[in-house]
Amino acid sequence: MCGFVGLVSDTPVAPALLLALQAIQHRGQDQAGLGTFDDRRLHLVKGDGLISQAIPPRAVPTLRGVAGIGHVRYPTAGSSFGPEDAQPFRTRQPGVLLAHNGNVTNVPELEAQLRADGWIVLSQCDAEPILLTFASALTKRRPAGHTRDDVAAAVEEVLDRVRGAFSVVAVLEVDGRPTLVGFRDRHGIRPGCYGRTPGGGWLASSESVALDVLGGEHVGDLPAGGFVMLRHGEEPVVVDLGRRAPKPCVFERIYFARPDSQLEDGRVNRQRWRLARQLAREWKRRGLEADLVIPVPDTSTPAAMAMAQELGIPTREGFIKNRYSGRTFIMPDQATREAALRLKLNPIREMFEGKRVLLVDDSIVRGTTMRRIVALIRRLGPVEVHLAVFSPAVTNPCFYGIDMPTRAELVAAGHAPDALEAALCRYFETESVTYLSLDGLRDVLSADVCDACFTGDYVVPVSAAERAAIEAERRA
Amino acid sequence: MCGFVGLVSDTPVAPALLLALQAIQHRGQDQAGLGTFDDRRLHLVKGDGLISQAIPPRAVPTLRGVAGIGHVRYPTAGSSFGPEDAQPFRTRQPGVLLAHNGNVTNVPELEAQLRADGWIVLSQCDAEPILLTFASALTKRRPAGHTRDDVAAAVEEVLDRVRGAFSVVAVLEVDGRPTLVGFRDRHGIRPGCYGRTPGGGWLASSESVALDVLGGEHVGDLPAGGFVMLRHGEEPVVVDLGRRAPKPCVFERIYFARPDSQLEDGRVNRQRWRLARQLAREWKRRGLEADLVIPVPDTSTPAAMAMAQELGIPTREGFIKNRYSGRTFIMPDQATREAALRLKLNPIREMFEGKRVLLVDDSIVRGTTMRRIVALIRRLGPVEVHLAVFSPAVTNPCFYGIDMPTRAELVAAGHAPDALEAALCRYFETESVTYLSLDGLRDVLSADVCDACFTGDYVVPVSAAERAAIEAERRA
Amino acid sequence: MCGFVGLVSDTPVAPALLLALQAIQHRGQDQAGLGTFDDRRLHLVKGDGLISQAIPPRAVPTLRGVAGIGHVRYPTAGSSFGPEDAQPFRTRQPGVLLAHNGNVTNVPELEAQLRADGWIVLSQCDAEPILLTFASALTKRRPAGHTRDDVAAAVEEVLDRVRGAFSVVAVLEVDGRPTLVGFRDRHGIRPGCYGRTPGGGWLASSESVALDVLGGEHVGDLPAGGFVMLRHGEEPVVVDLGRRAPKPCVFERIYFARPDSQLEDGRVNRQRWRLARQLAREWKRRGLEADLVIPVPDTSTPAAMAMAQELGIPTREGFIKNRYSGRTFIMPDQATREAALRLKLNPIREMFEGKRVLLVDDSIVRGTTMRRIVALIRRLGPVEVHLAVFSPAVTNPCFYGIDMPTRAELVAAGHAPDALEAALCRYFETESVTYLSLDGLRDVLSADVCDACFTGDYVVPVSAAERAAIEAERRA
Amino acid sequence: MCGFVGLVSDTPVAPALLLALQAIQHRGQDQAGLGTFDDRRLHLVKGDGLISQAIPPRAVPTLRGVAGIGHVRYPTAGSSFGPEDAQPFRTRQPGVLLAHNGNVTNVPELEAQLRADGWIVLSQCDAEPILLTFASALTKRRPAGHTRDDVAAAVEEVLDRVRGAFSVVAVLEVDGRPTLVGFRDRHGIRPGCYGRTPGGGWLASSESVALDVLGGEHVGDLPAGGFVMLRHGEEPVVVDLGRRAPKPCVFERIYFARPDSQLEDGRVNRQRWRLARQLAREWKRRGLEADLVIPVPDTSTPAAMAMAQELGIPTREGFIKNRYSGRTFIMPDQATREAALRLKLNPIREMFEGKRVLLVDDSIVRGTTMRRIVALIRRLGPVEVHLAVFSPAVTNPCFYGIDMPTRAELVAAGHAPDALEAALCRYFETESVTYLSLDGLRDVLSADVCDACFTGDYVVPVSAAERAAIEAERRA
C-alpha cells in the first residue's frame, strides 16, 4: 500500500506538500519522496524510512517550484527495494514527475514494450513503467510543447497497456504551464481525490485528510478511466476516456484509510460505525451474550462503542498499548516472545477476570497475533471469550495493492463455510467467532466495492502466470 | 521525569532488562542506558534517544552479568545534557551501578561535600552525587567486602544528605553476592515497586508494568526512608531507617503513570475512572448540559467513557490523532502552524457542527495547546464548547521531578479563585471551564498524596535559593 | 579537475573498475561514482567524498554488467555541488552512461537548446548537458537500435555545440552490443588514453596508471576531434571528425598527472626530471650558489635530485611531512596558525641552520603557503634562502578544467616582467626567485602544449561573458 | 604502539593539546582521546579512528581546563577494543587522568590485587590497571589533598607492581594545584620527553615533534624509575626512585619514531642516515654491485640517499606510492590481489628494466609485502635485484609495546645464521639479502638499546605463562 499527494500553486509548494504528505504517513512508512518542478528543473529527494528521515528539513529549500508530488511507500512482503526504487520518478525528456498507489500486474510485458522503443527501466518499482509508458506516448506525438490532447493520448495509452490497479498523479508542462494530472484505472480500485487549497491552488491526494491539513476543500475524486488536469487559478478540466463499473477497494473502508477521510461513499468512521452496528445486530441474533465489549487496539475503539451502544452493554479499554514501538532485542524462546507481545499490548486483569468478554476487531488476515492475544488474556481467568469482526472472512489474496500474504497463509481460507467457525474457535481458543455477513456488508456500504478478498471475484483479470509471479515474490 | 528498572537473577539479565525498560519508555524518551555487573566488571551502554537508539541490539551481548539496571530519561526544560549525563552511573571503587527517578534540590551542597572528600563529580546529572555520596559512605566503612550494615549506613547517609525526591536502584556486591538495592526518600514522593520474576529473580521498577511484561508478580513498594535488598533465590530484606508521612505524587495518578500500572493505592486506570466520575458529578451539579463527551487525545478516552456513563450522554472520538509524530518542517506563518496542529489532531466536522460538546482532559499546564485546539473546532460550528478537567488547577511548579514550567507560565496561576474560570473562558474561548475540586480529588484518592502543584504545600522544604536556581535552569 | 575510467569486458566490470578508479583518486577527492550497463538496466552509485566513502563495498555487487564507467571529482572553488551532481550521468531513452573531465564554457547556451527540444537538465554538473546533447542527437536519428553512424553523428553534434575542454567516455548499446565510446574536444586539451586489459577487454582512462593497475597495455590516446569505439574481443574503431592542432595541458605535465603516467609525450616523471635539469642549468647561469637542494613536499623530491645532480651539490629532505592530514580545530590566532602549518610540514633545524639552501617546487599559484614556509625556516637561521620553480610564472587563470583562482589572486600576475623577481623576493623573503623560462619549457617538452596559464593564449576562445560567469562562480 | 601528550598551562589547553597530538598521529590511528581537568571536573572525549574522527571539533570547547592529556592508539593484532577501551582513563576519587605507551605483561595479577582492594577494572586496556594502582596508592595515604610525597609513594607502587614497559603521563591536583606527572619504567624502554611551551606551560610527549609544533623547547626525557612533576610557572621537580640501566627501544630509532624527533641519542633521521651509511660500507665489503639505489616507500628515501652517496651510484624513486589508501573491494583471486598491491605501489618500468637494482628498506618483519614487491618488479625485466636492510634480522617478538607477530610469523626466525640469506633469497627471489650487522648497529648507536627483537635478550623478564597469554591474544 502507498499514498501520494500532488500540488500545483503559484508559490513554492514543497513546505505544504510535506505537511500534506505527513497526513497520509499511515499509508506507508518504508520510503518517502518529494519532487518539484520549477519551470527549468525537476528537483527530487527520496529515501528510506519515515518522511522525517527520508526528506531531511535541510533538503526542503532545494525543492524549488510551484508544482510537485510527494509519496510514501508501504513495506511490501518479499521485496528488496533500495532508495532508488522510492517514488516519485521523473524523466528528463519530456520532463515529467509521477507517483502512484496500486499494483501493476503486467510489469514484464511493459518492460519488453519499452525496451523495443529504446527506453530502459532502471528500478524495481512499478511506477517507473507507468511513467515511461506515459512519457514515451507523449514523445511519440511531439518532443516538446505538449497540449491537453497529447496528455489525453498518453493517459489513454497507459489505461490500455498497464494492467492492475493504479491511482496516479503526474506533474508536467502542458500548454506551457505547470500542470498537475491525476487519473485512475478504469475501475477506480485505489482511492484518489482532489480539491482546492486556499489561494487558488489544487491538491490531489490518496485521501482527503491531506486537504484538511492544508485547510482545503474537497471537490471530487480522481477520474477512473479518464483524467483531471489541474492548474493554479484555472478550473479543473475533467476528461473521460472510457470508465467501467466503479469498484473501489473495500479494505480502505474497513481498515486502511484514516477514519477522518472521505471516500466515494462518505466519511470512513461513519461507515465503520455502521458496519459495527450491523455486526452487533447479527451477533445478537445468534443469541450470544457478553458482559463487556473490548476493542482490540489500535483502531477498533469506535466500533466497540457502536457495538456496546447497540447491545446495551458497557465497553472498556482492556488493553494498554505501548505508544513506543521500536524494534526489540528478541531472544528466540517462548518466554521472551510472550514478553514482547505483552510489551506491545498489556491486558488489564480486572477487565477480563471472571467476565464474559466480546473482543472486537476490524479484520483478521493471518490470525497469528489474535491467537497470541487470546492466549494472553486466557491467563487472566475470563469466563468466556467471544470474537467479533466487522468484516467478512478474508479468503483470497489481493493483487491490487493491499499487502496481503499468499492464500496459504490466510487463516480463514481453505475451510468449508459451515466448518469455519469451529476451526477458528479451536485455533484462537474462543467460545465463538463472528464475522460480519457479506450481505450485511453490502447492505451497509452504498458503493459497489471490489471485495475480491472476501469473494475471489477479481475485477481486473490476473493471469495464472501473473498470479504465480506475484505470490512467488511475496513468499521470498 | 525518568524511569528505571533493576534486575537480579542467576542468568544473564540484559535481554530481560531491555524488555522491562521498554515497558516504561513513556517515562522518558530523551536518553536511555543499561548497565550490568558480572562479578568481575561493570558493563554500561548509554546514549541519546529512545531505548532502541541508545542501546543498539549489537551492544546487548556485551552487557554480561546476572544483575543490572536500566534507565530512561525525560527531556527536562532548559538542560543541555550530553550522552555522558545519561543514567545509570557507576563507580570503580567500590563497584556500584546506580540510577534514580526524581529531583535533587541541593546538588551544589553535595558537590562541595564530595570535593572535600576527594570525589570529583563528572556529569550534569543529579544521579551522580547520589551515587558518590553512597559510594563514599561505603568506602569510609571499608574498601571492599561490604555487608548489609555497610549498605544501611550508606543509604542512611544518602537519606540524611540528599534533599528532594528520589527513588533509587543500585547494584553492587554485598556479602560477596550480586545484590539489587532499592530505596526512596523519606516521603516516598516518586514511585517504585518490586516483585518476583519467574525463576527466582527480583525486579525493581518505577512502575509495575515492567513486572507484567516479564510475567512477574508484584510484591511491594520500594521502602521510603529505608531500603530493600534483593538477591536471587533469597527473600527480600527490608530495613526501615526512619520513614515519614508518605506523600506519593498526585500527578503520577492523573497523567504520568501508565493506566495499567499499580501504585500504592491500586490500578491507575481505576483511579482515573473514579476521578472522571467524580468530575461528572460536580459538573452535573453546576447545571451544565452537553450533547456529546469528547476526549482530548491521547489519554482521556476512558475518562470520557466514565463521564458519559455518569452523565447519560454519548461519547465519541472527535479527533483523529496522527500515529506518526516526527518533526515537521515549519514555516513561521499562522497558516502553517495551524496546519501542523491539524496534522497532529484532526477534528471531525460531524462531531462538532451544531453540537454542545464537552471536552475532557486530564490536566492543563501551560494551556497553549488547548487554546489552539478550541480555536480549531470553533471553525466547525459547535453551539457550545465546555471544558472539564479531572484534576484541580495547576498553580505551582513541581520541584520533585515532574518537568513543569515556571510559575509564570502556568495558565491557572496568578488568578483570584473566583476570577479563574472567567479568565480561562476568555483565554480558551469556551462556554465553561470546570476543574475537579480539591475536595473531590481527596475524596477519590485513598492515599495521602503530594499535591504541591495544586496547593503549594511542598513536602520537602525548598529554599528560596534552590528554587531560584531550578527556575533559572528551566528558563534557560 | 576530474578523472574517469571506462571498461568493457565479457565479465562483470565493477570490481576492476573500482581498482582502476582508485589509481586516479589524486584527480579528485570530492565526489565519486560508478555506473554499469547489464543489457537490461543501467546501475549507478555515486556520492560525496573519497571513492571508499562514495561507493561502499556492499554496493559493488549491485553494479551488474560487462560495461561501465567510474569518475572522481575535484573540489572546484565556489561550487555547491550535491550528491546528485556527481558523475557519471545516465539517460533512460536512449540508455547512455557518460562522464568527462574538463570544463564546458557555454552551459547556459546548451541548456536553452536542450530545453527547446524538451530535454530538462537536472543537475549543476556540465557533464549532463554533454550527455543530453549526445542522447538527443542519437534519438533524433532513431529511438532505438543505434549504429556506428548514429554515434558518429552524435559525437559530431557534441564537438560542434559544446565549447571548452572535454575528455569523455560513454557506455551504450551500439549494433546491439555493449560499447565503450571515448572522445575529446578538437584540441585534446585534457588527457585520455585507452588500452587492452588481460582477457580481451578495453579500458579508457584519464591516465595510463589505471591500465598499469589492471596489468593492461597502453594502446593509444582518446582521439581529439573524433572518437574510438571499444568492444570486448574486437579491435578498436577510430573515427576522425576534424581534429585541430593538439594542445595538451602543460599543467598535467608539471603538477597534476601522476609521475608514473604516460602522456602523449612520454612518462611524466621523465619530463619533470628534464624540466628540473633545465631549471638547474638556467639557475647556474645566473651565478647563484647554494649548499643544499631541498624539495618542498609533496612532489618535488625527484626534481630536487635532478637539480642536485646537475649542480653537483647534495639534496636532503629538509621537511618532514605529516602523513595524516585531517582537519584541525584552529583557533584564529597567529600562534595556532603557525602551529597548524608546522603540523603539516616540520622543517628540521640542522638542514637549514647556517646554510645557503635552494628550495625547489613545481609551481606557484597563490603563493600564500610558500610565504609561510619561508617564514618558518627563516627562524632556523639559514644564511640564504633561494627559491627555484620548474615552471614559468602562472599569470592567467585556466578555463579548461584546472581549478585555479581568479587572476587577482595569482601572486605572479600584474607585475612588469623585470619587476617580478624583486616583488616576489620581498613577498616571500627570499634572496632569489627563479622560474623556468618559457623557452626552456618549450625546449624540454616535445609536445605543443596549451600554456595559456603562462602566456594568456587561450586555445578555445572564451567570451568576455563566459569568462565573467566562470570567475564570478570561483569568487563565490 | 601508542603515543601521548600532556600539557599544563594557565589557559585552556584543549586546542593546543589537539595540535600536539596530531603531530604524533603516526604512533596510532585506531583510537584517540583527549581529557582535561578544570579544577572541578574531569572532561573526556574519546573514540575510534583518527584524531579528527574520534575528537570532533564541536567537542573541543567542552574540554575545559588548564591541564590535560591526549592519546592515540595503534591497532594491536588480535584485540577487540571498543571505544570504552580508548585512553586516557580517569578516576573520580581521587581525580586522576592517565595515559601511557607500552605494554603491561602482568595484567591478571594486577587485576586480582585491585579486586581485593575493592577496585573494579572496567576495560580491556592495560592503562586502566596502571591508573587504578596509582589511584589506589594515593587513596591509601589520604582521600584528598595529595602532596608530592603521596605522588612519590604512588609512582613507586606502580614501578614495583606493574611489569613490562610503560611511559606514563597523569594529570591530578597536587598541593592544591593542577599538576602534570610523567614517569617511565625503570629501564625507560618506551620514549617520553618534556619541554617548555611559550607562556610558561609544560608539555610532556612520546616524541619531541609535539613540542616543535607548539613552538616549544625540549628540556629532558621523562625519568625512568622516577618521575617529573610539572606545573605552570614552576621549574620541573625531578625525583629518582631507583633507575636501572637505560634500555631504550631500538625500533623507535629504525622505524617507528618520526625522523624529525629527538630521542635520548639525538635526531632520528641522523641515526638512520648513519645506519644506512654503515650498511653501505658493509654491503660494499661483500663485493656486490648495482646500478641504482631504490628506496622501498614510504620511509627509506633518506637512507637510499645516504647509501647512494657512500656507494657513488645514483638513487631514484622507483615506486610511485598512491597517496590515498582507503580500503579496497577485493575479489579473492590472484589477479585482483596483485592489482591491489600495484594500486598502493606502482613500479616504474624504466627504473628496473635492464638494471641491477639495490632495494633499501628499514626492516623486515613478516616479509610478505617484500616478497610481493619483488615479484612485481621481476616482471619489468631487471638484471639483478639486491635487497639491503639497515637493521639486523628480526628473530624475536616484542613484549614491550611494538606490535609484532608471533615468532612463527617472523620470516627471519628459525634459520641457522649461515643458512638465512640463502633461504631469504629463495623466498624473496633476490640475488642477495644484506642485513646490517649487530656490531654495525651497536657501533652507530651511541645509546645502549633494548634490542631483544634482534637478540632475544629481554630486559624485563616475561614469564612463560605471560608470553603464552600475549602470543595467544596476537593469534586471535
Side-chain angles (χ1 to χ4, degrees), chain A residues 187-474:
Chain A
H187 294 286
I189 298 174
R190 301 253 57 86
C193 66
Y194 65 97
R196 219 178 296 271
T197 60
W202 293 94
L203 182 85
S205 170
S206 291
E207 292 188 33
S208 65
V209 287
L211 272 162
D212 292 350
V213 159
L214 299 187
E217 179 201 346
H218 184 277
V219 170
D221 294 306
L222 295 185
F227 67 96
V228 62
M229 241 173 58
L230 301 162
R231 289 205 276 246
H232 182 262
E234 300 182 16
E235 281 308 294
V237 174
V238 176
V239 176
D240 180 38
L241 297 165
R243 178 190 182 102
R244 305 248 175 81
K247 287 283 189 185
C249 166
V250 71
F251 230 70
E252 294 276 352
R253 281 133 185 91
I254 288 167
Y255 167 75
F256 206 82
R258 270 179 56 162
D260 44 346
S261 275
Q262 299 245 30
L263 295 179
E264 282 88 345
D265 42 354
R267 186 84 70 188
V268 168
N269 77 333
R270 194 173 130 78
Q271 303 283 41
R272 289 184 192 159
W273 182 276
R274 295 174 66 214
L275 289 168
R277 198 176 52 189
Q278 172 66 20
L279 173 62
R281 287 171 189 157
E282 299 185 4
W283 196 78
K284 208 158 39 179
R285 278 204 292 276
R286 295 190 60 191
L288 297 168
E289 285 185 0
D291 304 317
L292 220 51
V293 181
I294 293 183
V296 175
D298 203 26
T299 59
S300 306
T301 299
M305 286 179 180
M307 288 194 77
Q309 182 172 311
E310 184 70 24
L311 297 175
I313 53 175
T315 177
R316 288 286 183 284
E317 307 255 348
F319 299 91
I320 302 303
K321 193 177 151 68
N322 195 335
R323 277 178 278 166
Y324 305 94
S325 51
R327 290 140 301 157
T328 305
F329 180 88
I330 295 292
M331 303 286 285
D333 61 283
Q334 175 59 21
T336 312
R337 270 208 307 272
E338 193 178 307
L341 177 60
R342 221 183 266 120
L343 185 59
K344 294 220 167 87
L345 214 69
N346 195 26
I348 301 185
R349 173 174 294 273
E350 300 90 279
M351 300 299 181
F352 296 95
E353 198 169 29
K355 300 255 170 56
R356 295 173 304 172
V357 296
L358 169 54
L359 299 181
V360 181
D361 208 351
D362 45 59
S363 57
I364 295 180
V365 179
R366 269 192 186 81
T368 44
T369 301
M370 180 58 77
R371 179 182 156 100
R372 287 156 67 202
I373 288 173
V374 176
L376 217 56
I377 64 182
R378 277 286 174 201
R379 308 239 176 128
L380 304 180
V383 175
E384 290 176 12
V385 178
H386 299 273
L387 175 58
V389 179
F390 62 87
S391 64
V394 173
T395 50
N396 296 277
C398 176
F399 297 118
Y400 307 139
I402 296 278
D403 182 46
M404 253 183 209
T406 59
R407 192 159 196 281
E409 294 166 277
L410 297 172
V411 70
H415 297 281
D418 54 358
L420 179 62
E421 182 170 11
L424 294 183
C425 283
R426 266 196 311 278
Y427 180 73
F428 292 134
E429 286 194 81
T430 54
E431 268 65 33
S432 74
V433 175
T434 309
Y435 282 105
L436 181 64
S437 68
L438 202 55
D439 286 345
L441 172 82
R442 288 172 177 168
D443 243 37
V444 167
L445 297 182
S446 53
D448 189 15
V449 294
C450 169
D451 52 13
C453 49
F454 305 137
T455 61
D457 297 338
Y458 291 101
V459 181
V460 182
V462 186
S463 76
E466 286 167 7
R467 190 183 292 222
I470 295 169
E471 296 232 326
E473 193 173 278
R474 281 182 182 164

Side-chain angles (χ1 to χ4, degrees), chain D residues 92-418:
Chain D
R92 280 199 197 80
Q93 205 274 343
V96 183
L97 266 172
L98 181 144
H100 95 122
N101 165 215
N103 191 45
V104 176
T105 59
N106 66 332
V107 168
E109 183 187 336
L110 291 173
E111 279 204 40
Q113 291 168 343
L114 288 163
R115 195 78 178 76
D117 288 347
W119 292 82
I120 292 187
V121 170
L122 302 175
S123 78
Q124 307 294 324
C125 174
D126 62 359
E128 202 188 3
I130 299 180
L131 166 62
L132 299 193
T133 301
F134 181 83
S136 163
L138 277 181
T139 323
K140 266 183 218 155
R141 288 181 61 101
R142 75 189 99 219
H146 298 106
T147 65
R148 184 215 293 196
D149 289 350
D150 299 333
V151 172
V155 172
E156 193 154 25
E157 189 138 342
V158 172
L159 294 174
D160 288 346
R161 284 167 60 168
V162 178
R163 245 193 339 269
F166 45 89
S167 181
V168 180
V169 279
V171 158
L172 72 162
E173 211 173 65
V174 184
D175 308 322
R177 297 205 58 197
T179 304
L180 176 61
V181 174
F183 58 93
R184 293 195 288 165
D185 65 84
R186 291 201 154 100
H187 293 285
I189 297 173
R190 301 253 58 86
C193 65
Y194 65 97
R196 218 178 298 269
T197 60
W202 293 94
L203 181 86
S205 170
S206 291
E207 292 187 33
S208 65
V209 287
L211 271 162
D212 293 350
V213 159
L214 299 187
E217 178 201 348
H218 183 278
V219 170
D221 294 306
L222 295 185
F227 67 96
V228 61
M229 240 174 59
L230 301 162
R231 288 204 278 248
H232 182 262
E234 299 184 15
E235 281 309 294
V237 174
V238 177
V239 177
D240 180 37
L241 297 165
R243 180 190 182 102
R244 304 248 175 82
K247 288 282 189 184
C249 167
V250 71
F251 230 70
E252 295 276 353
R253 282 134 185 91
I254 289 168
Y255 167 75
F256 207 81
R258 270 178 57 162
D260 45 347
S261 274
Q262 299 245 29
L263 295 180
E264 282 89 345
D265 42 355
R267 186 85 68 187
V268 169
N269 74 334
R270 194 174 132 77
Q271 303 283 40
R272 290 185 191 159
W273 183 276
R274 295 174 65 213
L275 289 167
R277 198 177 51 188
Q278 173 66 20
L279 172 62
R281 287 171 187 158
E282 299 186 4
W283 197 78
K284 209 158 40 176
R285 276 204 293 275
R286 294 190 62 191
L288 297 168
E289 285 185 2
D291 302 318
L292 219 50
V293 181
I294 293 184
V296 175
D298 205 28
T299 58
S300 306
T301 299
M305 287 178 180
M307 287 194 78
Q309 182 171 312
E310 184 70 24
L311 296 175
I313 53 175
T315 178
R316 289 286 183 283
E317 306 255 345
F319 300 92
I320 302 303
K321 193 177 151 68
N322 194 334
R323 275 177 280 166
Y324 305 93
S325 51
R327 288 140 304 155
T328 306
F329 179 87
I330 296 292
M331 305 284 285
D333 60 283
Q334 175 61 21
T336 314
R337 269 208 309 273
E338 193 178 306
L341 177 60
R342 223 185 263 119
L343 186 59
K344 294 221 167 86
L345 212 69
N346 195 24
I348 300 184
R349 175 174 293 274
E350 301 90 279
M351 301 299 180
F352 296 96
E353 200 169 26
K355 301 255 171 57
R356 295 173 304 171
V357 296
L358 169 53
L359 299 181
V360 180
D361 207 350
D362 46 58
S363 56
I364 295 180
V365 179
R366 270 192 186 78
T368 45
T369 301
M370 180 57 77
R371 177 183 158 101
R372 287 157 67 202
I373 287 174
V374 176
L376 218 56
I377 63 182
R378 276 288 174 200
R379 308 243 174 125
L380 305 180
V383 175
E384 290 177 11
V385 179
H386 298 273
L387 174 59
V389 179
F390 62 87
S391 64
V394 173
T395 51
N396 298 277
C398 176
F399 298 117
Y400 306 139
I402 296 278
D403 182 46
M404 255 184 207
T406 59
R407 193 158 195 282
E409 293 167 277
L410 297 171
V411 71
H415 297 281
D418 54 358

Side-chain angles (χ1 to χ4, degrees), chain B residues 26-86:
Chain B
H26 67 288
R27 296 187 71 87
Q29 301 90 47
D30 209 34
Q31 296 190 315
L34 206 63
T36 56
F37 176 62
D38 75 355
D39 266 341
R40 280 189 60 239
R41 306 241 159 150
L42 292 163
H43 307 281
L44 186 56
V45 172
K46 52 192 193 179
D48 290 343
L50 295 175
I51 297 163
S52 55
Q53 298 162 321
I55 307 165
R58 63 184 151 67
V60 177
T62 71
L63 292 163
R64 283 182 293 276
V66 298
I69 283 174
H71 189 269
V72 289
R73 201 186 144 267
Y74 196 78
T76 307
S79 69
S80 59
F81 269 40
E84 279 215 340
D85 301 311

Side-chain angles (χ1 to χ4, degrees), chain A residues 39 41 92 115 123 128, chain C residues 39 41 92 111 115 123:
Chain A
D39 266 339
R41 305 242 159 149
R92 282 200 196 78
R115 195 76 177 77
S123 78
E128 202 189 3
Chain C
D39 266 338
R41 306 241 157 149
R92 281 199 196 79
E111 279 203 42
R115 195 77 177 78
S123 77

Side-chain angles (χ1 to χ4, degrees), chain A residues 39-42 44 84 90 92-93 95 111 115 117-124 128 132 144 173, chain C residues 39-42 84 90 92-93 95 111 115 117-124 128 132 144 173:
Chain A
D39 266 339
R40 279 190 59 238
R41 305 242 159 149
L42 291 164
L44 186 56
E84 280 215 338
R90 64 183 170 186
R92 282 200 196 78
Q93 205 275 341
E111 279 203 41
R115 195 76 177 77
D117 289 346
W119 291 82
I120 292 187
V121 170
L122 303 174
S123 78
Q124 307 295 325
E128 202 189 3
L132 299 194
E173 210 173 63
Chain C
D39 266 338
R40 279 190 61 240
R41 306 241 157 149
L42 291 163
E84 280 215 337
R90 64 182 170 187
R92 281 199 196 79
Q93 205 274 342
E111 279 203 42
R115 195 77 177 78
D117 288 345
W119 291 81
I120 292 187
V121 171
L122 302 174
S123 77
Q124 307 294 325
E128 202 188 2
L132 299 193
E173 211 174 63

Side-chain angles (χ1 to χ4, degrees), chain C residues 49 76 148 326 387 464:
Chain C
T76 308
R148 186 214 290 196
L387 175 58

